[in-house]
Amino acid sequence: LSGTAAEPLSVMLAGHIDEVGMMVKYIDENGFISFESIGGVDAAVLPALRVDVHAKDGDLRGVIGRKPIHLIPKTEEQSVTPMDKLVAYALYLTLLSLGLLLWVYLYCRKRFAECRYSRYWDKATFLNLLGYSGYSLLVNGADTAVKQGISIFFNKFGGLVANAGLGVATNVQNKMWNFLLSFGQSYSPQIIKSYAANDRDYFMKLLYSSSKFSYFLYFLIAFPIMLNVDYLLDLWLVEVPENAGLFVNLMIGFSIFESFGNPLITAVHATGNLKVHQIMISCIKIMILPVSWLLLRNAYPVSSVLVVYMLGNLVCAVARIIWMHYLIGLDVKDYCVKVMWRIVYVTVLSTAFPLILASRLESPLAKLFATSLVFVAIYLLLIYFTGMDTTEKGILRGIIRKVFPNPSKKS
């Protein structure tokens, strides 16, 4: 009906145009799903509720979990967990991080004079520090972009099942990588100190030895896991996402190429000349995304993304070795002979027999123990006789003598 008012009256007819349910909001690296409500969902009926998650490749059956009963405070036992509990948890983690930061700051300020700051301004120093930190963040930003891009590709082209498998693979890789980083804390200060002291001979010796032993240590753990990955995932998860074993091996392969390059990265930071290295590595890493997209658009499986991710890291490792020749005068041929060739030689010879043995054993448990023991024995012998130089062997023998002294010499 048309009215006679100077300004027409607006009337809104409100009504439900969707079905009451839940909407996926976030999927973490372990495959757990966070969701929010659509419409009036009663939070009291959600725990232990079976749900269907609608995915690209079909529906997935899930169940809504709750905090274990032994972890629920008495005050919450009879209450309903609100759907926005994740916000409170995130706030708790934020406050915890800030509290730890404050405690470290106060402790260092009291104990160390270097941490008692005073106001000082020097434009040249500020710009120098800004440039250093900026280039340091460049590769980290590229890494983050690539990892998030891979997760998006898995969601779009592989669905929830593939993304769950990627979450398992990422979790395994992170645990192993943290172990290697702890080893890096032993040589990084020495590399930086020797470069600052202009002790070139010791500096280069550290680079060669730490590159080899970073790889040797990581591969010692990585190969038995890669060879028995399906059985280990069955023990750990019971219900293993499809292709999770393949994804784990590809992610470990990525870290293998990174392991021998970590000391070189420390050397780059020791020089302070980050610009060319960081831009070069960032560009190589970012190229992983368009190459992966092209493969997926041409109907390649989602595992091809991780293959590109792994090969991209190999290209970064090769480019870094070449650049170190111009940055610190690294003899590339000598480095390849004394480091890379020994790595390849030990790797090929130590894995051949365990691979043959694995193909002949039917019991997964027997395969795990037999191949691991055989590999470790062959691997350690090869490292000593072919992977180490004379100086490194002498240092090792000295350590063994200190740990296990000869009783006859004492008497």
Side-chain angles (χ1 to χ4, degrees), residues 16-37:
H16 286 287
I17 59 172
D18 53 17
E19 183 179 355
V20 173
M22 277 84 74
M23 180 173 65
V24 174
K25 190 175 181 181
Y26 174 73
I27 304 173
D28 71 8
E29 62 180 15
N30 296 314
F32 289 101
I33 297 174
S34 299
F35 57 87
E36 61 183 12
S37 63

Side-chain angles (χ1 to χ4, degrees), residues 103-378:
W103 183 86
V104 171
Y105 169 75
L106 294 176
Y107 178 85
C108 293
R109 182 178 175 83
K110 181 179 179 181
R111 297 276 182 168
F112 308 108
E114 298 85 352
C115 297
R116 295 165 194 163
Y117 305 114
S118 59
R119 292 185 179 182
Y120 174 77
W121 175 255
D122 185 301
K123 184 177 180 181
T125 303
F126 173 76
L127 292 176
N128 188 31
L129 291 174
L130 183 63
Y132 181 88
S133 59
Y135 287 120
S136 297
L137 291 173
L138 189 61
V139 172
N140 293 334
D143 270 330
T144 302
V146 171
K147 289 178 180 178
Q148 295 304 315
I150 290 174
S151 182
I152 292 172
F153 289 158
F154 267 69
N155 269 328
K156 181 175 178 61
F157 293 95
L160 288 176
V161 175
N163 197 65
L166 177 64
V168 172
T170 303
N171 196 14
V172 174
Q173 182 208 27
N174 289 339
K175 295 296 186 295
M176 295 178 60
W177 191 247
N178 288 337
F179 174 76
L180 186 61
L181 289 179
S182 63
F183 173 70
Q185 294 175 0
S186 64
Y187 62 75
S188 293
Q190 298 181 58
I191 291 177
I192 296 172
K193 181 180 178 180
S194 60
Y195 182 84
N198 201 26
D199 188 352
R200 179 172 175 80
D201 291 339
Y202 184 57
F203 173 73
M204 300 304 294
K205 178 63 178 176
L206 278 175
L207 282 185
Y208 280 48
S209 296
S210 55
S211 294
K212 282 190 302 183
F213 287 103
S214 290
Y215 175 88
F216 289 151
L217 181 62
Y218 188 80
F219 196 73
L220 177 66
I221 303 171
F223 182 72
I225 293 176
M226 296 174 73
L227 194 58
N228 301 278
V229 63
D230 292 326
Y231 178 61
L232 293 174
L233 289 178
D234 283 334
L235 292 177
W236 178 30
L237 300 175
V238 182
E239 295 184 10
V240 183
E242 185 180 358
N243 293 323
L246 173 62
F247 297 161
V248 168
N249 282 344
L250 290 174
M251 293 294 280
I252 292 177
F254 168 88
S255 298
I256 285 174
F257 295 135
E258 188 87 359
S259 60
F260 59 82
N262 267 355
L264 297 181
I265 296 174
T266 302
V268 172
H269 284 267
T271 66
N273 299 321
L274 305 183
K275 182 178 179 180
V276 175
H277 175 269
Q278 301 299 86
I279 293 176
M280 174 183 66
I281 298 300
S282 299
C283 291
I284 295 173
K285 287 181 177 292
I286 288 296
M287 286 302 298
I288 292 172
L289 295 178
V291 173
S292 300
W293 172 261
L294 289 175
L295 291 176
L296 294 173
R297 291 285 292 177
N298 287 279
Y300 280 82
V302 289
S303 58
S304 63
V305 175
L306 296 183
V307 174
V308 175
Y309 187 47
M310 179 178 66
L311 295 179
N313 207 32
L314 176 60
V315 174
C316 288
V318 174
R320 183 180 295 114
I321 292 173
I322 296 173
W323 172 243
M324 296 302 286
H325 170 71
Y326 299 97
L327 184 64
I328 62 172
L330 178 71
D331 188 334
V332 175
K333 181 179 179 180
D334 187 61
Y335 182 85
C336 290
V337 171
K338 294 182 178 179
V339 177
M340 301 309 302
W341 168 245
R342 296 191 182 196
I343 285 175
V344 173
Y345 188 81
V346 170
T347 301
V348 172
L349 292 185
S350 64
T351 56
F353 186 69
L355 287 171
I356 296 173
L357 183 62
S359 65
R360 296 179 178 275
L361 294 175
E362 295 183 0
S363 170
L365 183 60
K367 175 184 171 183
L368 172 64
F369 282 99
T371 56
S372 298
L373 291 174
V374 170
F375 166 72
V376 170
I378 297 175

Side-chain angles (χ1 to χ4, degrees), residues 380-395:
L380 294 179
L381 288 173
L382 285 171
I383 289 176
Y384 181 80
F385 287 107
T386 63
M388 301 172 66
D389 59 27
T390 304
T391 304
E392 292 163 348
K393 291 178 182 177
I395 294 173

